[in-house]
Amino acid sequence: MRQRINFCGPTFEARDGRINDQVAVNMYPRPTGPQARAPVVLYSLPGLKYRQTVGVGPHRGKPIKFGTSWFTVSRGEFYEVSSSGVATVRGTLNTTSGRIKMVKNFSTQILVIDGTYGYIWNGTTLTQIADPDFPANPIDCAYLDSYFIVVAGGTNNFYISDLENGTSWVATEYGVTQQRADNLKAISTATGDVWLPGEESLEIWTNTGNATFPFQVIKGLLFDYGTLATHSIEALDANPIWLSNTPFGGNIIVTGVGRQPKILSDDDLNWQLSQLTRTDDAVAMVYYQAGVPFYILTFPTDGVTYGLDIQTGWWHKRESPDGGAWEPAGLIFYGNEHIAVSSVDGNVYTLDFDTHTDNAQNRRRLRRAAVLEDRGLKTAHNSLEVLCSVGVGTMTGEGVNPQAVLRYSDDGGSTWSHDLPQPLGVQGARDTRLIWDQLGDTYGRIYELRCDHPVEFNIIDAWLDWERADGVQTKGKR
């Protein structure tokens, strides 16, 4: 019997692959509209199209727009990149490694921190902040209500600058988190309040206009959602998102809705997070593309990147051509382009849906589907047809005769069949069909399809002709 199977979907990697071992790599699932051919499809993520080189690299954090230019820190140098793409060194930091962060006020200053020092760009010059009252070990920063705000590492203190002046600080102008004795690790002002995650807890402060110190804690808003990963906190649509550390054990990913945290990670992702070697070095990015809001979280030590479609709540994985973590160190939208800076070297890229490589290197797009079984009975898989992008071959190069490669596992992903390639069709061959016949018997099967060639690759639907191995018609779990 020929049946549609739920081939497309998000990443769900359960503790035991026989339960669920779904993966989407360099592809993201999206629900379709009314009367669409399939309810859910998988689209390829944009490739990294080389734009230019800025410094020797690596880039150390998210770039920032300022005036008509954008700015980045490449190794130890502070660069301005003009609208025409001209990169100019505008200053030098005292450090050459480690994550940096930049925030700006109303187009007169950029504050740069590198974990040890603070710097101010005033539109013409980058200078180290000389005020002795500038906090030591600045690990995170933000801007709100005319104040630069800096978290002092190793303390539960956060400091504010003079109004609209990041060069001037007063030692007594600081707040102290009051409800838990854990050190502050990060800050977000995306909601208009001051969110202050400590190592195991979260406090929320607000600007009351108090003459002594303008920010005051909101009593009763204490949550067990801190963080150890300072650079995992980003915000989209005025909602902070971060990798949370709880006092009861384990990492989860949470967001702020109103003045309340909400968990975004599912049980399967939480399990995968618990298996990572290190999580305190996690780095986050957020962006919109083609109307889809993404939160991206990279774990550099483990070489793993997860992506969240915030609209659907569906997760996927991203990887570089070498199979490691996704390369970007930070993203901005500038000049109608999504600009990504490299965490490896000085390269700068644009995220481009028409580019099917990362920096001219082939990358894999992969879908591992849900387990197919019929009440634990043996089934015969006569044929599988997958509807995807076809006739997409290029005129020259490795994509002239592109292929999709199928393999399958009958033991929850422990072992796999040999590769079973099928052509995706030369350019213009839109009648190409991908059909695999005589796929044998199984008590439960996982199918995996990938494309390694530099061509468009989207997965639309899949149909399986299967039956009970004893000849009785299958009911199927799809």
Side-chain angles (χ1 to χ4, degrees):
M1 181 174 66
R2 183 176 165 92
Q3 290 181 309
R4 167 181 280 159
I5 59 174
N6 294 331
F7 197 87
C8 298
T11 289
F12 290 112
E13 294 178 283
R15 184 172 179 175
D16 189 324
R18 292 169 296 180
I19 300 169
N20 209 347
D21 196 31
Q22 295 186 67
V23 179
V25 178
N26 290 331
M27 308 187 80
Y28 66 102
R30 288 291 294 177
T32 57
Q35 308 304 312
R37 188 163 187 173
V40 177
V41 297
L42 276 163
Y43 293 113
S44 287
L45 287 162
L48 297 180
K49 181 180 180 181
Y50 178 78
R51 189 179 195 268
Q52 64 188 109
T53 297
V54 177
V56 298
H59 294 267
R60 294 170 58 187
K62 177 183 176 180
I64 192 169
K65 293 183 285 187
F66 187 82
T68 59
S69 301
W70 62 275
F71 292 77
T72 184
V73 174
S74 179
R75 193 169 171 80
E77 296 176 316
F78 179 75
Y79 279 88
E80 177 181 3
V81 184
S82 69
S83 57
S84 60
V86 176
T88 306
V89 178
R90 294 302 189 189
T92 303
L93 276 61
N94 296 331
T95 61
T96 58
S97 63
R99 190 82 179 172
I100 62 94
K101 187 168 182 182
M102 299 187 283
V103 293
K104 64 183 179 182
N105 61 10
F106 287 104
S107 299
T108 61
Q109 292 181 337
I110 298 175
L111 170 65
V112 185
I113 61 168
D114 62 9
T116 305
Y117 306 100
Y119 313 83
I120 287 291
W121 169 254
N122 62 10
T124 57
T125 307
L126 180 77
T127 57
Q128 182 183 335
I129 297 173
D131 192 324
D133 290 338
F134 183 75
N137 305 316
I139 60 169
D140 203 4
C141 60
Y143 175 81
L144 183 66
D145 297 341
S146 300
Y147 298 100
F148 287 109
I149 311 174
V150 169
V151 172
T155 75
N156 55 346
N157 301 342
F158 66 98
Y159 294 77
I160 63 173
S161 69
D162 284 350
L163 290 170
E164 298 292 353
N165 187 1
T167 66
S168 181
W169 300 75
V170 177
T172 56
E173 291 290 302
Y174 69 96
V176 182
T177 51
Q178 303 168 359
Q179 301 178 81
R180 286 278 176 83
D182 56 348
N183 292 332
L184 282 177
K185 299 298 290 185
I187 184 172
S188 175
T189 56
T191 66
D193 292 324
V194 182
W195 289 52
L196 295 164
E199 294 169 342
E200 295 182 340
S201 66
L202 167 70
E203 285 188 13
I204 302 177
W205 292 47
T206 193
N207 189 343
T208 65
N210 185 285
T212 303
F213 186 74
F215 298 101
Q216 303 294 320
V217 66
I218 304 175
K219 295 293 186 182
L221 295 186
L222 174 67
F223 305 99
D224 293 321
Y225 295 111
T227 188
L228 296 177
T230 298
H231 299 289
S232 71
I233 190 164
E234 278 287 354
L236 200 64
D237 296 334
N239 294 319
I241 309 173
W242 70 99
L243 176 67
S244 178
N245 180 61
T246 75
F248 308 108
N251 290 299
I252 55 176
I253 298 169
V254 299
T255 187
V257 179
R259 287 176 169 172
Q260 299 288 323
K262 175 186 175 183
I263 298 173
L264 293 177
S265 51
D266 53 62
D267 288 348
D268 293 336
L269 180 55
N270 292 338
W271 167 254
Q272 296 300 323
L273 295 177
S274 74
Q275 301 305 294
L276 297 176
T277 305
R278 182 179 177 186
T279 57
D280 64 342
D281 60 348
V283 173
M285 290 162 268
V286 291
Y287 70 101
Y288 268 96
Q289 194 165 21
V292 181
F294 292 108
Y295 172 78
I296 312 301
L297 190 62
T298 291
F299 298 89
T301 297
D302 289 86
V304 175
T305 300
Y306 290 99
L308 170 67
D309 176 340
I310 298 173
Q311 283 182 343
T312 62
W314 291 342
W315 292 89
H316 61 271
K317 299 178 82 170
R318 301 187 179 205
E319 65 180 28
S320 292
D322 64 2
W326 198 46
E327 184 180 339
L331 300 165
I332 57 166
F333 187 68
Y334 173 88
N336 205 35
E337 291 182 310
H338 291 86
I339 295 174
V341 295
S342 173
S343 63
V344 176
D345 51 33
N347 284 357
V348 177
Y349 308 104
T350 55
L351 302 187
D352 181 30
F353 281 114
D354 293 325
T355 297
H356 308 299
T357 60
D358 282 356
N359 192 24
Q361 298 182 65
N362 290 349
R363 54 174 186 154
R364 68 171 184 164
R365 276 75 49 84
L366 179 146
R367 173 57 181 166
R368 188 180 304 154
V371 178
L372 291 166
E373 58 90 28
D374 181 16
R375 298 164 290 169
L377 300 173
K378 182 184 283 190
T379 56
H381 288 206
N382 301 320
S383 69
L384 172 69
E385 179 172 7
V386 179
L387 181 65
C388 58
S389 306
V390 294
V392 293
T394 58
M395 294 301 294
T396 60
E398 294 182 74
V400 171
N401 293 298
Q403 293 182 332
V405 178
L406 182 78
R407 66 174 187 165
Y408 57 83
S409 173
D410 292 333
D411 56 10
S414 295
T415 61
W416 292 86
S417 70
H418 61 278
D419 287 350
L420 303 168
Q422 286 277 4
L424 288 168
V426 298
Q427 190 173 100
R430 299 295 182 182
D431 58 348
T432 301
R433 296 177 68 183
L434 276 70
I435 302 174
W436 290 265
D437 293 317
Q438 298 179 340
L439 294 169
D441 298 346
T442 181
Y443 288 99
R445 177 166 291 177
I446 299 171
Y447 283 108
E448 180 186 278
L449 186 69
R450 77 175 193 273
C451 176
D452 301 325
H453 289 105
V455 297
E456 179 77 10
F457 184 66
N458 303 314
I459 303 175
I460 301 167
D461 210 350
W463 298 83
L464 181 67
D465 185 340
W466 61 332
E467 61 188 1
R468 284 263 298 276
D470 58 9
V472 178
Q473 189 176 58
T474 184
K475 292 184 178 180
K477 177 184 176 183
R478 302 182 301 277

